[in-house]
Amino acid sequence: MTAAPSASQRVIIFDTTLRDGEQSPGAAMNLEEKLRIALVLEEMGVDVMEAGFPIASKGDFEAVHAIAKAVKTSSVCGLARANPADIERAAEALKPAPLKRIHTFISTSPLHMKHKLQMEPEKVLQAAIDSVTLARKLCDDVEWSAEDGSRTEHDFLCRCVEAAIKAGARTINIPDTVGYTTPQEYAKLFKMIVNRVPNIDKAILSTHCHNDLGLAVANSLAGVLGGARQIECTINGLGERAGNAALEEVVMALRVRRDVMPFTTGIKSEAITKASHLVSTVTGFVVQPNKAIVGANAFAHESGIHQDGMIKNRETYEIMTPQSVGIAKTSLKLGKLSGRNAFRSKLVELGYDLGDNALTDAFNRFKDLADRKKEVFDEDIMALVDDEVARANDHIRFLGFEVQAGSKGPQRAMLELSIDGASVTATSTGNGPVDAIFNAISQLVPHEATLQLYQVNAVTAGTDAQAEVTVRLEEKGRTVNGQGADPDTLVASCRAYIHALNKLAVKRLKELPPEVAVLSGV
Ligand code: KIV
Ligand code: ZN
């Protein structure tokens, strides 16, 4: 007899940054960006990565296909609704992957079945059976999700789960699609399924929690206590609305509190900081400073009492070490006299592996930074490299500008950009230097987008710190975030705006076909 799914102590980490995370307004990524993140997720040891939704667009299909080709040790997963076209497209995109999974889903709650699907429950049950049966013909590993599972009637949920397992699903996911459940309720739901579904020992139960009430991580952990052995999550908690359960939080909670949650994951937690930086830079979603595990202040001790305690014994105020999440204690200090080899070694220490061209570009920017800044911290180098890497495929590039600013005005910017390799220039005035620069960009790259957010953060302390600027643009319902880093706030602002425009261009090409628009709520 097979052991009950809850007998194993190993929790499978299913990352959906590239699928559910990308559904976050403004988080669209291009193929190279997704590939870069996929390789970092693989290195981090995620068991399964949901690489996208292949039927959604040509871009999504190509990204899943490229990830399926490149990733060797994590299973690559593609999402599909309960219909043959979606499932066949997912199977096609996943073909090159050594380890693969098709994830098919349908809504099971009364509200979704009646209003969204306009289908009777029996038809939904049959669609679940048919979709899993077809998916199993094309792929050995099939996951089935009961969308809006946490608001589904228990009898019907149990019938669907039993039928999906009978049709061949190996993983059963019970999403809290709208972030409505609570830890006690969610744990009870899993216990109920374990107790009532006769063939439950043939499948792994999975959590998938959205964060609308700020409970996604707590709910995911409660789900595991209730019998789930897979957690679906995203880096930095990226995702629709308030986001998904944050990978770094569930992993570190399981690691730090093994005494009350005796479970393990396969995640190399030292890769967390690098993954967080990369996802933040690529998507333009800045991590809030007080965010658990990956926020800039997560390991900062400011008050005298705390600092005093830390000096006497680190454990007085620190429940995990910064090193355990990849914040390296600098062993190698870099300055303006450091050469290319030292720079390369530092990148290796920080977990980066750049090709020769990217290394040269990053090194040139580092030299420039070291000339202008007294101390170059690891955070500076990470911001600089992430910024460089994020721009690798941009068709609009920043070359330089001169700005006339000052209290008397008018503020004026003379800007030079490269567009598809050709240098172009424009001069513009504005209400302040940032406005003048943005107006000059608009002259060179005419567009209809409006500025929704302009935000400046300092990467480190000190007046010579690099500025990290986020710009959010919106054009006809498409939202994108761009980021730029530089010691000069105006340069960082210009880079961020250009980054956002490059992303907008990608997004225009990658519009979802109308029949998929209905899925924007998943
Ligand atoms: O939130 C949700 O229900 C989903 C499903 C597609 C798993 O993302
Ligand atoms: Zn979701």
Side-chain angles (χ1 to χ4, degrees), residues 20 208 210 244 522:
D20 221 347
H208 178 109
H210 282 267
N244 290 56
V522 297

Side-chain angles (χ1 to χ4, degrees), residues 281-316:
T281 313
V282 161
T283 58
F285 275 61
V286 176
V287 174
Q288 76 194 56
N290 58 332
K291 161 88 177 60
I293 318 293
V294 290
N297 293 348
F299 293 92
H301 299 274
E302 189 80 27
S303 90
I305 297 175
H306 286 205
Q307 288 181 349
D308 181 54
M310 287 285 291
I311 291 164
K312 288 176 177 144
N313 182 337
R314 192 186 62 66
E315 285 176 14
T316 49

Side-chain angles (χ1 to χ4, degrees), residues 396-443:
I396 312 165
R397 286 168 171 271
F398 169 72
L399 293 181
F401 61 60
E402 277 178 38
V403 167
Q404 281 170 8
S407 54
K408 296 223 168 62
Q411 290 82 12
R412 187 182 300 277
M414 287 140 281
L415 174 69
E416 185 178 6
L417 299 181
S418 151
I419 301 182
D420 294 323
S423 156
V424 288
T425 56
T427 300
S428 188
T429 54
N431 190 10
V434 174
D435 194 39
I437 292 168
F438 287 4
N439 288 340
I441 296 176
S442 298
Q443 268 187 43

Side-chain angles (χ1 to χ4, degrees), residues 56-77:
S57 69
K58 193 165 166 272
D60 261 59
F61 177 89
E62 283 167 358
V64 176
H65 195 256
I67 291 169
K69 255 194 197 158
V71 169
K72 305 284 178 246
T73 56
S74 305
S75 176
V76 180
C77 174

Side-chain angles (χ1 to χ4, degrees), residues 19-20 79 103 105 145 147-148 173 175 177 208 210 232 522:
R19 197 281 294 171
D20 221 347
L79 184 69
H103 175 192
F105 72 99
S145 283
E147 191 188 352
D148 207 17
N173 183 32
T177 304
H208 178 109
H210 282 267
E232 303 198 353
V522 297

